[in-house]
């Protein structure tokens, strides 16, 4: 855990952040284009020959990538853009022996290497390494796959991002979690993406905004822990509420934990409940519009409706309503910036520090 910065006298970032188009563009290039993004789980590509096209940060980066499993059972993450004239290669999920661009018939192996190109018989110095599909950096934490749109200038290495989650939840059998399409949905929030994250990063609003959720958690025992590129809010279950049955190998063995709320910089939330995992990915669309993806993995369906992890849709709508109000508020000529509640808003301050670290223009 990081030594926490003293925030007793500190101020939040300037409201200018939520209004300034230049800062939005800087955040896109300096942060999102260099960040690790959750893309899917490895269960999606079980058999060799499977290929899954994905658009990284649809609506912001719009980077077309392609996950493949080759005949040697190796996973690859490739650019989904043909090296000839730039057509998108795989248009949908498919099962194939090799990849073929339907514009002029160029072929690639499932590891991205160039295979053939009709019409290029007379080309000289051809093919060369630039005819292979570029590899997109990707990595795995347990069953979860992450990719990065930057090959040379990533914010940090993936293991640094997931370090505490990995240590803390090493006992959790993620391989037994099942993807659940019914708990998977998209929300459109009329606010800046960072306001949505800031709201997530403090439990102080729970008694005010989520009266039902407040009864499931013992809010006086609420705590947040700060790590280098992530932070964790620990939700202690109130008595008689569902909590994890933590094994001896867990550092939290003996505690009544109802939820682990991990924030992974800059925009991902991994929420672990006794029923399973809810991943939220916050995708900026514009300065004032954000898409939030909810992706669910079920471990024990019988606990779905119990404790702090129940009624996620209702909690989400309660959060959206308040965050959309804040979006209107931060545009006021009278609002400049605020202060941090020292006991509650360490996570918000940590988020702001990271934003400023990568975009020094933020005040
Ligand atoms: S763009 Fe793919 S073969 Fe021409
Ligand atoms: Fe909330």
């Amino acid at each position: 855990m990081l030594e926490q910065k003293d925030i007793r006298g500190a101020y939040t970032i300037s409201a200018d952040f939520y209004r300034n188009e230049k800062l939005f563009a800087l955040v896109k290039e300096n942060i999102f284009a260099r960040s690790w993004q959750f893309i899917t789980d490895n269960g999606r590509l079980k058999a060799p020959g499977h290929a899954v096209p994905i658009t990284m940060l649809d609506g912001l980066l719009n980077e077309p990538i392609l996950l493949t499993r080759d005949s040697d059972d190796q996973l690859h993450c490739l650019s989904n853009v043909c090296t000839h004239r730039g057509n998108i290669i795989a248009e949908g999920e498919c099962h194939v022996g090799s990849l073929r661009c339907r514009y002029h018939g160029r072929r690639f192996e499932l590891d991205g290497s160039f295979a053939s190109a009709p019409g290029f018989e007379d080309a000289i110095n051809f093919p060369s390494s630039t005819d292979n599909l570029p590899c997109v950096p990707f990595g795995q934490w347990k069953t979860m796959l992450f990719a990065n749109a930057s090959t040379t200038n990533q914010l940090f290495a993936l293991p640094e991002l997931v370090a505490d989650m990995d240590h803390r939840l090493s006992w959790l059998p993620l391989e037994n979690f099942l993807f659940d399409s019914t708990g998977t949905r998209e929300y459109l929030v009329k606010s800046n993406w960072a306001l949505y994250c800031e709201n997530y990063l403090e439990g102080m609003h729970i008694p005010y905004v989520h009266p039902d959720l407040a009864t499931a958690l013992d809010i006086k025992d609420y705590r947040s822990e700060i790590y280098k590129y992530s932070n964790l809010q620990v939700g202690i279950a109130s008595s008689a509420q569902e909590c994890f049955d933590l094994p001896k190998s867990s550092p939290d063995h003996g505690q009544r934990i109802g939820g682990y709320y991990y924030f992974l910089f800059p925009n991902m939330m991994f929420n672990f409940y006794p029923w399973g995992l809810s991943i939220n990915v916050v995708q900026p669309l514009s300065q004032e519009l954000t898409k939030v993806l909810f992706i669910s993995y079920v471990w024990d369906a019988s606990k779905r409706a119990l404790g702090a992890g129940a009624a996620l849709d209702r909690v989400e709508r309660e959060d959206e309503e308040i965050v959309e109000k804040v979006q209107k508020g931060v545009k006021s000529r009278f609002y400049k910036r605020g202060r941090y509640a020292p006991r509650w808003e360490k996570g918000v301050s940590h988020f702001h520090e990271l934003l400023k670290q990568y975009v020094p223009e933020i005040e």
Side-chain angles (χ1 to χ4, degrees):
M1 211 184 313
L2 284 188
E3 187 60 43
Q4 182 50 40
K5 184 175 167 257
D6 185 355
I7 58 169
R8 289 174 303 168
Y11 286 81
T12 67
I13 53 174
S14 161
D16 187 45
F17 176 83
Y18 312 99
R19 311 166 182 151
N20 184 325
E21 290 292 342
K22 270 198 200 125
L23 289 179
F24 185 80
L26 282 171
V27 165
K28 175 181 166 184
E29 289 311 317
N30 293 11
I31 297 180
F32 282 99
R34 300 167 54 202
S35 68
W36 290 100
Q37 293 295 319
F38 167 73
I39 44 172
T40 189
D41 65 284
N42 65 3
R44 183 103 176 258
L45 297 99
K46 276 198 179 134
H50 205 120
V52 179
I54 290 170
T55 304
M56 269 185 85
L57 286 175
D58 194 10
L60 185 74
L61 297 183
N62 299 312
E63 188 60 52
I65 62 171
L66 182 65
L67 274 171
T68 61
R69 190 181 281 281
D70 71 14
S71 53
D72 294 330
D73 228 358
Q74 294 300 308
L75 279 178
H76 300 273
C77 189
L78 308 167
S79 167
N80 193 17
V81 176
C82 181
T83 49
H84 175 218
R85 294 239 315 280
N87 183 38
I88 300 293
I89 300 170
E91 294 173 15
E93 204 162 326
C94 52
H95 201 94
V96 289
S98 64
L99 301 162
R100 178 178 162 273
C101 175
R102 81 179 174 91
Y103 199 177
H104 315 96
R106 185 174 285 211
R107 275 189 187 278
F108 304 90
E109 305 298 348
L110 287 171
D111 65 1
S113 56
F114 171 91
S116 63
F120 280 71
E121 294 75 15
D122 298 332
I124 54 172
N125 299 330
F126 183 86
S128 72
S129 60
T130 57
D131 295 297
N132 300 328
L133 293 176
C135 292
V136 176
F138 85 113
Q140 194 163 339
W141 174 67
K142 290 184 181 261
T143 55
M144 302 300 168
L145 303 175
F146 295 79
N148 198 309
S150 169
T151 43
T152 52
N153 197 18
Q154 298 159 5
L155 296 179
F156 35 73
L158 181 63
E160 289 191 87
L161 183 64
V162 298
D164 186 68
M165 210 159 70
D166 192 43
H167 160 73
R168 198 69 163 264
L169 301 176
S170 61
W171 58 274
L172 201 67
L174 229 55
E175 63 284 1
N176 297 339
F177 284 39
L178 289 179
F179 173 71
D180 170 35
S181 58
T182 63
T184 294
R185 56 191 74 179
E186 280 182 25
Y187 296 90
L188 217 49
V189 188
K190 294 193 254 348
S191 85
N192 184 277
W193 70 279
L195 292 178
Y196 187 92
C197 294
E198 290 160 8
N199 173 71
Y200 173 87
L201 287 165
E202 47 91 356
M204 191 179 173
H205 71 274
I206 293 174
Y208 303 100
V209 176
H210 311 299
D212 283 9
L213 173 61
T215 62
L217 293 171
D218 198 344
I219 209 74
K220 71 175 184 336
D221 287 334
Y222 164 91
R223 61 179 195 265
S224 51
E225 301 176 7
I226 307 298
Y227 299 94
K228 204 164 174 194
Y229 302 112
S230 67
N231 60 59
L232 164 66
Q233 296 172 83
V234 181
I236 304 293
S238 48
S239 52
Q241 289 285 346
E242 194 62 39
C243 66
F244 281 104
D245 182 14
L246 295 171
K248 286 220 170 64
S249 60
S250 159
D252 303 313
H253 178 69
Q255 297 182 48
R256 292 184 39 79
I257 292 181
Y260 287 96
Y261 301 86
Y262 272 100
F263 177 74
L264 307 182
F265 187 77
N267 66 328
M268 291 171 290
M269 296 137 186
F270 277 56
N271 307 300
F272 297 89
Y273 303 107
W275 64 257
L277 166 63
S278 168
I279 299 176
N280 313 150
V281 183
V282 182
Q283 304 193 335
L285 298 178
S286 73
Q287 182 77 293
E288 293 190 39
L289 192 63
T290 300
K291 181 165 68 182
V292 185
L293 303 182
F294 271 53
I295 302 139
S296 292
Y297 291 90
V298 175
W299 183 24
D300 182 346
S302 69
K303 296 179 177 162
R304 194 80 189 250
L306 306 172
L312 293 184
D313 176 69
R314 175 186 177 139
V315 171
E316 170 61 18
R317 284 182 282 114
E318 289 168 343
D319 280 324
E320 281 180 18
E321 196 168 85
I322 199 82
V323 166
E324 290 179 351
K325 291 275 179 350
V326 177
Q327 175 65 40
K328 293 195 172 118
V330 292
K331 287 164 73 184
S332 159
R333 287 160 187 80
F334 296 99
Y335 182 79
K336 306 286 185 247
R337 63 176 80 229
R339 297 284 303 271
Y340 299 109
R343 154 135 169 64
W344 296 96
E345 295 182 307
K346 288 186 196 126
V348 182
S349 158
H350 179 229
F351 175 60
H352 288 167
E353 290 304 312
L354 288 169
L355 290 177
K356 289 196 275 190
Q357 179 179 330
Y358 296 111
V359 182
E361 289 84 351
I362 298 172
E363 294 178 353

